[in-house]
């Protein structure tokens, strides 16, 4: 690998071990076997490098279970399979999510890093829609990303916060899926109990672009 790839791998290692806030440029250099000048040359800044490392870790996380997702895209079966994949790998992804929480709660102390991660939100939302519905990312509209993508992202972030606070009380894949089914039924007029309304399938789609 060249210095660019070495730096990215070193930054990923540092993110997992130390998080955003405690990782220094020298930490990355030590983990990658490169030099300080390489960070500026290849990425512009330490924060830009850490942001790329974070995105890469999220992509690897998704690819780790995406190929094994069952069920038709947009179905409750796919919805449950997705959350099962998320929860089965929470111990490995936990440090990365903790790092992202550091940035979210940093206020104005990390403005450049916050701005860079915020700019990557649309990319993450597109990936979530693709995993849950099979819709090709290049065919998604901005509205798809800002509605369905943001919804899926909110569920994901909420579950990870539950897990970070108390893994024992965090919702299971079955509970999240049942919650989705009941919420959809209630929205269609089934009441707070989530009773299915006539003509509506409790096993129907969990949502897809344009729905």
């Amino acid at each position: 690998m060249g210095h660019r790839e070495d730096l990215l791998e070193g930054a990923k290692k540092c993110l997992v071990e130390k998080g955003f806030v405690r990782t220094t440029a020298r930490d990355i250099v030590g983990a990658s076997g490169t030099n300080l000048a390489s960070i500026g040359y290849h990425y512009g800044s330490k924060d830009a490098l850490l942001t790329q490392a974070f995105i890469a870790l999220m992509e690897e996380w998704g690819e780790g279970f995406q190929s094994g997702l069952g069920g038709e895209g947009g179905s409750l079966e796919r919805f449950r399979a997705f959350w099962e994949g998320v929860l089965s790998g929470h111990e490995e992804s936990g440090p990365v999510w903790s790092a992202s929480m550091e940035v979210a709660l940093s206020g104005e102390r990390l403005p450049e890093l916050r701005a860079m991660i915020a700019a990557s939100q649309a990319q993450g939302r597109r990936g979530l829609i693709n995993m849950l519905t099979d819709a090709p990312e290049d065919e998604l509209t901005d509205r798809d990303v800002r509605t369905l993508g943001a919804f899926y992202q909110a569920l994901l972030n909420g579950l990870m916060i539950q897990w970070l606070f108390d893994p024992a009380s965090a919702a299971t894949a079955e509970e999240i899926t049942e919650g989705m089914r009941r919420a959809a039924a209630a929205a269609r007029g089934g009441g707070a109990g989530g009773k299915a309304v006539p003509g509506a399938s409790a096993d129907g789609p969990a949502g897809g672009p344009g729905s």
Side-chain angles (χ1 to χ4, degrees):
M1 292 190 296
H3 275 200
R4 182 177 179 83
E5 293 77 16
D6 290 337
L7 284 167
L8 187 62
E9 290 303 312
K12 286 158 56 178
K13 185 174 185 292
C14 289
L15 266 183
V16 170
E17 294 180 352
K18 305 187 70 172
F20 278 108
V21 176
R22 294 193 300 129
T23 293
T24 67
R26 292 190 181 279
D27 289 331
I28 298 173
V29 168
S32 62
T34 58
N35 55 69
L36 289 173
S38 293
I39 295 178
Y41 178 77
H42 289 289
Y43 292 94
S45 69
K46 180 199 74 172
D47 285 351
L49 170 55
L50 285 174
T51 300
Q52 287 302 309
F54 177 73
I55 293 172
L57 285 169
M58 289 296 96
E59 290 175 345
E60 292 172 6
W61 165 81
E63 292 168 358
F65 63 85
Q66 184 174 7
S67 60
L69 289 177
E72 182 182 356
S75 67
L76 282 178
E77 184 181 356
R78 169 64 62 83
F79 188 80
R80 176 169 178 163
F82 173 80
W83 297 111
E84 287 174 344
V86 169
L87 291 169
S88 68
H90 62 69
E91 291 186 2
E92 293 78 12
S93 57
V96 182
W97 288 98
S98 295
S100 67
M101 286 294 293
E102 284 184 285
V103 179
L105 298 175
S106 67
E108 297 304 316
R109 291 184 291 115
L110 302 169
E112 182 182 0
L113 197 52
R114 285 169 62 91
M116 288 178 178
I117 291 179
S120 72
Q121 293 296 292
Q123 179 180 343
R125 292 173 181 179
R126 288 178 183 276
L128 287 172
I129 294 174
N130 173 257
M131 281 190 279
L132 283 152
T133 71
D134 287 338
E137 292 188 39
D138 59 359
E139 295 180 9
L140 298 174
T141 67
D142 288 342
R143 182 160 180 77
D144 290 332
V145 174
R146 291 188 58 83
T147 54
L148 188 60
F151 172 71
Y152 286 147
Q153 187 181 56
L155 289 177
L156 178 60
N157 289 345
L159 178 61
M160 294 311 300
I161 289 174
Q162 288 183 12
W163 182 83
L164 289 172
F165 276 131
D166 181 18
S169 65
T172 65
E174 187 278 330
E175 289 166 342
I176 295 172
T177 305
E178 175 65 6
M180 167 62 81
R181 187 197 66 77
R182 294 182 65 177
R188 294 188 179 103
K195 296 178 180 178
V197 297
S201 171
D203 296 320
S211 62

